[in-house]
Amino acid sequence: MASKAEERRNALRDRLITLAEQQIEQEGIQAIKARPLAQAAGCSVGAIYNVFGDLEDIIIAVNGRTFRKLGRFVAEALEGKETLPPTDRLIVMAHAYLDYAGAHPKLWRALFDLRMSADINVPDWYLEELARLFSHINGPVQECFPDMDQTAVDLLTRALFSSVHGIVLLGLENRISAVPRDQIRNMIALILRSATGNKKM
């Protein structure tokens, strides 16, 4: 059974993560600063560093939550669609990814904007959440290429994710080279059908 001190520490940890998540949702990753966060949590700045090593650790914890929510969102998009051909399931997941990014752009960007210090050990649970997200993609890719060895399947999974991510990033940011917002879904479907040898449109 946890001691009172451990319970208080865990409660403060959860409160800091929730507050940081809210701040990132509203203002982006640059909003995470120790003094305003401590003020919002009703604790001292020192108390933050008694719970987390540094602010990067808090952002990693928020990103872990975001990965879990994103993974659930993608999995829920597949419910009732398990019998679709694998390419169609990849498209469903990619469109869900787009929808999540569009609904939570700053939390989504925080997943990729955090520059981790070289001496930081990425937590196992963080890597597990990322692997779980990739596992949703991995299955249909294996179905599309049953003769491909697992190493190549894993590499293709990440390549397809990177391709979809790039389209979503440029499309949502409306940069000069951006994909027109109303064409993002079509371009995602086009790239996935082309990559998996399914030319149906």
Side-chain angles (χ1 to χ4, degrees):
M1 179 179 291
S3 67
K4 292 291 185 183
E6 288 173 323
E7 289 177 359
R8 288 195 296 271
R9 178 185 173 88
N10 290 336
L12 177 58
R13 175 185 171 81
D14 289 343
R15 186 160 70 252
L16 289 169
I17 295 171
T18 297
L19 288 167
E21 184 179 32
Q22 292 169 353
Q23 290 180 357
I24 293 173
E25 176 91 76
Q26 295 168 4
E27 303 176 54
I29 198 173
Q30 71 280 356
I32 303 303
K33 295 180 171 58
R35 194 169 299 280
L37 190 58
Q39 185 175 9
C43 69
S44 67
V45 170
I48 292 178
Y49 295 109
N50 286 333
V51 178
F52 291 98
D54 55 32
L55 295 180
E56 279 187 353
D57 287 341
I58 298 178
I59 296 170
I60 288 172
V62 172
N63 283 352
R65 281 190 181 182
T66 303
F67 269 128
R68 284 191 289 274
K69 291 176 181 178
L70 175 57
R72 286 197 298 268
F73 191 82
V74 169
E76 287 168 3
L78 283 173
E79 291 179 0
K81 302 179 178 69
E82 294 85 359
T83 59
L84 287 177
T87 298
D88 291 337
R89 299 202 315 273
L90 288 171
I91 292 169
V92 167
M93 288 188 285
H95 286 170
Y97 182 80
L98 168 62
D99 291 340
Y100 188 91
H104 307 281
K106 292 183 173 65
L107 284 170
W108 172 71
R109 282 301 304 265
L111 295 173
F112 308 98
D113 284 351
L114 177 63
R115 299 291 183 263
M116 296 184 189
S117 301
D119 57 349
I120 284 185
N121 291 321
V122 181
D124 289 341
W125 58 262
Y126 188 95
L127 296 176
E128 287 167 5
E129 292 300 336
L130 183 59
R132 188 172 291 114
L133 181 60
F134 281 132
S135 72
H136 294 305
I137 308 168
N138 203 272
V141 171
Q142 286 181 314
E143 291 179 50
C144 287
F145 301 97
D147 297 328
M148 186 178 286
D149 67 70
Q150 189 60 52
T151 299
V153 168
D154 291 343
L155 189 62
L156 181 54
T157 292
R158 283 154 178 75
L160 292 176
F161 173 82
S162 298
S163 298
V164 170
H165 175 77
I167 293 172
V168 172
L169 178 64
L170 290 175
L172 293 182
E173 292 205 342
N174 290 320
R175 295 188 175 179
I176 292 173
S177 59
V179 178
R181 182 69 68 93
D182 62 351
Q183 290 296 313
I184 298 177
R185 288 180 124 72
N186 289 338
M187 291 193 73
I188 287 172
L190 177 63
I191 198 71
L192 290 175
R193 292 197 185 283
S194 296
T196 59
N198 185 331
K199 300 300 191 289
K200 173 187 171 185
M201 289 298 293

